[in-house]
Amino acid sequence: CGEGGDIFTFLMKYENISFVDAAVKLAGRAGITIPKSSGYADKAKTELYDKLFAANNDAAKFFAANLKTKFGAACLDYMEDRGMTQESIKTFQVGCAIDSWDSLLEQLRKKGHSPEVMFKAGLITKREGKDGYYDRFRKRIIFPIFSAGGEIIGFGGRVTDASLPKYLNSPDTPIFHKGRNLYALNFAKDTARKLGYLIIVEGYLDAITPHQHGIENVCATLGTALTENHVRLIKRYVNKVVLIFDPDEAGVKAMLRGLDLFIKSDIKVNVVALPEKLDPDNFVKKYGKERFLTELKRSVKILDFFINYTIDKMPADSIDDKIAIVNEILPKVAMANNSIERDYYIRRLSAKLDIKENLLHDEMANKIKDLSYKTRPGSFGASAIRHKKTAAPGAEVTLLQLILNNVGFAAQLEKSLTTDDFTDPVIKRIIAKIFKIAPSNDAITIDNILSGEPEDVKSIVTKLVVKGIPGTGEELQKAFADCVYKIRHDGIASKMSEIRTLLVKASEEKNDKLKDELLEEYTKIGKIKNDLKKRYDRE
């Protein structure tokens, strides 16, 4: 089929699963137990996650049971007025939180969940100025939020009256992040994969109502702009997205905040503004499935929309006005992956602004140069690693292996080495990425480290993770210290060798001033080397 990679990348692509899931699945088939000390199978973290999922599941059942209360009856009337069917209420596990400060707290306590776990799950809040907790959600319709795999990871609450805030989501927790999840993706992903595209809307009912009418590839954002994590999540299932946004100025700006992310990704993005300023919920209820699908066919590419929107909102009466428009639009066009696509937009811009194409091409070339090396789509520059195997020094390989299998070493590494201490370009690249995400240990996962990397880099990391390093905690700590010492020692030795070469040259050229400077630097570095050796011997 033309694809490359190893058994891990095959399973990740074929089943659209993460590296971690692929590793666990393959390990199970091979009869291999993944060490609990590894960075992606941390026992304490796994136990906490299990407790949070269990608390959320029991909370969802409690919210669903609340529909039988007096307030629940009013919520059911409201949902019926909004067009929700009993089948949808059951499928999406919609419930309600009654007007109580501690009903959920007491119910979950009876189920054996500790207040500490409930708090970490975002189900309860600490009382201000005194001990104790109270329910986060009160007097609201409750929409459970599912992960792509179908686990309940959080909740969204909506009032049925004019109270504020209108919507209240769970806070970010160890298992829930608004910027990494999409509502109803678990229900939409299979259909989206079959149809080849995903529809993204802005609200719970905007996602549920289309599903009720047989439009099952719809999911929703959770009150945030689309993020890089959303893009990664989407790419697991489809390479095309249709965004449906509120047609007011705020809705347009919210949609365009994800413009750069989508342009730089390989995802094709079209946008739709529904007629009569209707949202998807009301439009589908009023006009039905077929009319909704017709509107989707009228969608336009996101860059086309951006160009039209920019030209419409900005004056184009003078040459200064036109230059301002060009400066607004061309940086976005320059991010496009395909030169044919960029040429198409230049021709469009030329026709709309009455500016010669060759002048716009010249400006485009300048904009591309202005793009930082890291943001150029598809470009890894001089640091791109093409070879299949790394010839890195053994200490660098072992050190990376230790970090990948125990994220706790990442914090220690930051205190001992910098990326400049590494000589192999692949390892230097991966270490730099680990340093970048190290401030949040929860973010140091194999998936995050591999995100955006070329296949050969992924292959190297995969092999290092799966191979693992046997030994007790004390033995692994000693191995880590040995590697750090070896890398620093070899770096200093290399530097001293360079200085000796320069000293010979300075002597030959009879450059006494340079010779003295080099001798001073050599002595200084030699002292650092001796101090390093003494400290290592003591430890």
Side-chain angles (χ1 to χ4, degrees):
C1 65
E3 285 284 349
D6 52 26
I7 189 170
F8 295 92
T9 51
F10 167 77
L11 197 61
M12 288 165 68
K13 291 175 181 177
Y14 188 75
E15 296 193 6
N16 287 301
I17 58 177
S18 68
F19 170 82
V20 174
D21 293 335
V24 171
K25 182 173 283 193
L26 289 169
R29 289 190 60 175
I32 297 170
T33 301
I34 294 179
K36 291 296 182 183
S37 61
S38 67
Y40 55 89
D42 182 84
K43 184 177 180 181
K45 186 179 290 186
T46 300
E47 289 176 351
L48 172 62
Y49 286 8
D50 288 344
K51 290 178 181 179
L52 297 177
F53 287 133
N56 281 342
N57 285 331
D58 283 340
K61 292 175 184 176
F62 178 71
F63 291 139
N66 281 343
L67 292 176
K68 297 177 182 179
T69 65
K70 183 178 179 180
F71 178 69
C75 290
L76 286 170
D77 288 342
Y78 176 86
M79 287 187 275
E80 184 178 341
D81 290 341
R82 293 295 304 266
M84 285 189 68
T85 64
Q86 286 296 322
E87 183 180 357
S88 286
I89 292 171
K90 184 177 180 181
T91 298
F92 290 89
Q93 299 185 37
V94 183
C96 71
I98 60 175
D99 189 10
S100 167
W101 288 97
D102 59 2
S103 60
L104 177 64
L105 173 64
E106 292 306 318
Q107 176 65 19
L108 293 187
R109 203 195 298 266
K110 290 177 185 176
K111 291 283 186 178
H113 303 286
S114 70
E116 291 75 22
V117 167
M118 289 183 247
F119 177 72
K120 287 181 179 178
L123 296 169
I124 59 177
T125 301
K126 289 182 179 179
R127 296 184 181 276
E128 293 184 12
K130 52 184 176 180
D131 295 337
Y133 301 87
Y134 62 89
D135 292 355
R136 174 177 293 276
F137 299 102
R138 302 181 303 281
K139 202 177 179 183
R140 291 174 181 271
I141 295 174
I142 301 296
F143 298 87
I145 299 168
F146 301 86
S147 70
E151 303 96 345
I152 297 177
I153 53 178
F155 297 90
R158 190 196 193 285
V159 297
T160 59
D161 53 25
S163 302
L164 294 175
K166 183 178 179 181
Y167 289 101
L168 179 66
N169 284 332
S170 294
D172 280 359
T173 72
I175 61 173
F176 173 63
H177 301 273
K178 293 186 285 292
R180 298 181 190 175
N181 293 281
L182 293 166
Y183 178 72
L185 180 61
N186 58 308
F187 299 109
K189 63 182 182 181
D190 290 339
T191 301
R193 191 183 292 140
K194 290 175 185 176
L195 296 177
Y197 71 100
L198 184 68
I199 302 168
I200 301 180
V201 296
E202 291 189 293
Y204 301 116
L205 291 175
D206 288 332
I208 292 173
T209 299
H211 276 266
Q212 282 187 181
H213 287 73
I215 308 162
E216 298 178 345
N217 56 330
V218 184
C219 63
T221 54
L222 292 163
T224 66
L226 289 165
T227 67
E228 190 173 348
N229 287 312
H230 285 137
V231 172
R232 292 195 195 107
L233 180 63
I234 292 165
K235 287 176 72 172
R236 292 186 191 176
Y237 308 104
V238 295
N239 63 2
K240 183 177 180 180
V241 166
V242 177
L243 301 178
I244 302 180
F245 56 91
D246 289 342
D248 58 18
E249 186 70 11
V252 173
K253 287 182 177 179
M255 184 270 296
L256 289 177
R257 278 199 289 271
L259 179 64
D260 289 7
L261 291 173
F262 282 118
I263 293 175
K264 290 185 287 185
S265 74
D266 294 326
I267 298 177
K268 299 173 184 176
V269 183
N270 282 28
V271 298
V272 174
L274 295 173
E276 302 174 36
K277 296 186 176 181
L278 293 173
D279 57 28
D281 172 34
N282 290 310
F283 186 90
V284 173
K285 284 188 294 193
K286 184 174 181 178
Y287 292 110
K289 175 180 178 179
E290 295 307 318
R291 174 75 184 276
F292 181 79
L293 295 178
T294 297
E295 292 300 327
L296 291 187
K297 293 176 182 176
R298 295 174 182 165
S299 65
V300 299
K301 291 176 70 67
I302 193 168
L303 261 176
D304 281 303
F305 175 85
F306 173 69
I307 289 171
N308 291 335
Y309 171 75
T310 302
I311 291 175
D312 287 344
K313 77 169 185 173
M314 295 177 70
D317 301 323
S318 67
I319 186 61
D320 288 339
D321 292 338
K322 293 180 180 182
I323 290 172
I325 292 173
V326 168
N327 287 336
E328 184 83 5
I329 292 174
L330 276 190
K332 307 297 184 186
V333 177
M335 293 179 186
N337 289 317
N338 193 291
S339 59
I340 297 173
E341 188 177 11
R342 293 196 295 267
D343 183 68
Y344 162 76
Y345 288 116
I346 282 179
R347 284 188 279 112
R348 280 207 58 209
L349 203 54
S350 171
K352 282 182 171 290
L353 298 179
D354 191 25
I355 298 174
K356 291 181 180 180
E357 288 183 29
N358 64 315
L359 297 177
L360 291 173
H361 274 292
D362 290 342
E363 278 300 306
M364 172 68 73
N366 292 332
K367 298 300 180 188
I368 291 176
K369 287 179 183 178
D370 289 342
L371 286 174
S372 69
Y373 214 50
K374 291 182 179 179
T375 59
R376 285 285 302 280
S379 171
F380 293 101
S383 63
I385 309 305
R386 306 287 183 225
H387 54 270
K388 293 291 181 184
K389 296 181 180 179
T390 176
E396 294 187 15
V397 174
T398 303
L399 186 63
L400 178 60
Q401 201 170 359
L402 283 164
I403 295 170
L404 291 172
N405 285 278
N406 191 325
V407 297
F409 284 130
Q412 295 184 45
L413 185 67
E414 277 196 300
K415 300 173 183 177
S416 308
L417 298 173
T418 70
T419 53
D420 292 336
D421 291 312
F422 294 85
T423 59
D424 181 81
V426 172
I427 293 180
K428 180 179 288 193
R429 179 190 184 90
I430 298 167
I431 292 294
K433 198 163 194 179
I434 291 171
F435 281 169
K436 185 177 180 181
I437 59 180
S440 172
N441 274 343
D442 288 341
I444 304 181
T445 65
I446 303 303
D447 285 333
N448 283 349
I449 292 169
L450 292 180
S451 174
E453 298 299 334
E455 291 300 327
D456 45 3
V457 174
K458 289 182 179 179
S459 179
I460 290 168
V461 172
T462 298
K463 288 177 174 62
L464 292 178
V465 171
V466 175
K467 186 177 180 182
I469 296 181
T472 64
E474 186 176 336
E475 290 168 341
L476 294 178
Q477 184 66 54
K478 178 65 167 61
F480 176 83
D482 288 345
C483 290
V484 169
Y485 169 75
K486 183 72 166 60
I487 292 169
R488 288 205 63 194
H489 177 275
D490 288 356
I492 292 171
S494 176
K495 182 66 177 175
M496 293 179 75
S497 177
E498 290 177 13
I499 294 175
R500 284 196 298 269
T501 301
L502 293 173
L503 273 169
V504 171
K505 188 175 180 181
S507 295
E508 290 173 350
E509 296 176 352
K510 297 182 179 180
N511 188 338
D512 293 337
K513 182 180 179 183
L514 177 59
K515 186 178 175 181
D516 290 342
E517 290 174 354
L518 290 170
L519 282 170
E520 183 180 351
E521 185 177 0
Y522 188 86
T523 303
K524 188 184 298 183
I525 294 176
K527 185 178 184 305
I528 294 173
K529 182 181 176 184
N530 291 334
D531 290 344
L532 178 68
K533 180 70 166 65
K534 289 177 183 177
R535 188 163 63 251
Y536 175 73
D537 289 341
R538 286 198 303 271
E539 293 173 354

